[in-house]
Amino acid sequence: MGTVKEVKQAALVLETSDKKQQEVMTDPGTRYERSGVAVTASDLKPGERAVVHGMKMNNGQVHAQLVKFGKPPAKGTGKAQGGTGETEPDPTPPTQGKHHEHSGH
């Protein structure tokens, strides 16, 4: 985790909490998420806080698989967007009703 200092074509430069600069390798398969929404590398700007999920290579370099930045989705506003997820439990009562009919046989 760190603050983005530079976004290069195949790397990110982050400043860690102990003020050290860390270069993180990226490639076309690296995914980017801003506040939980998929975006591209061009959306990542210097000064933003980022969390990198990846693999540390034998040479000590980190290869990013997922870069998350921006504020985490607010739970209150996430429910409005996740309204479709809240409708999933609705089919459960009819299933229970069918089960009840079957047990009455």
Side-chain angles (χ1 to χ4, degrees):
M1 182 162 82
T3 302
V4 177
K5 287 298 186 187
E6 188 178 355
V7 181
K8 299 180 180 182
Q9 177 138 3
L12 301 174
V13 179
L14 300 176
E15 184 175 274
T16 61
S17 58
D18 59 359
K19 303 295 181 198
K20 293 182 182 178
Q21 291 202 358
Q22 165 93 37
E23 187 169 79
V24 177
M25 305 307 295
T26 60
D27 65 28
T30 301
R31 296 185 337 250
Y32 298 85
E33 287 184 7
R34 170 185 272 144
S35 302
V37 178
V39 294
T40 64
S42 63
D43 294 303
L44 184 60
K45 305 291 182 211
E48 294 196 79
R49 299 278 297 156
V51 177
V52 176
H53 298 272
M55 296 186 339
K56 191 168 190 174
M57 309 309 267
N58 291 335
N59 63 4
Q61 238 1 78
V62 175
H63 181 207
Q65 296 172 323
L66 173 62
V67 179
K68 292 184 173 187
F69 59 102
K71 295 181 179 177
K75 291 182 180 180
T77 55
K79 288 181 181 176
Q81 293 173 348
T84 56
E86 292 181 33
T87 59
E88 288 177 20
D90 292 343
T92 304
T95 304
Q96 289 174 345
K98 288 179 185 175
H99 179 71
H100 178 72
E101 291 172 15
H102 179 71
S103 63
H105 266 281

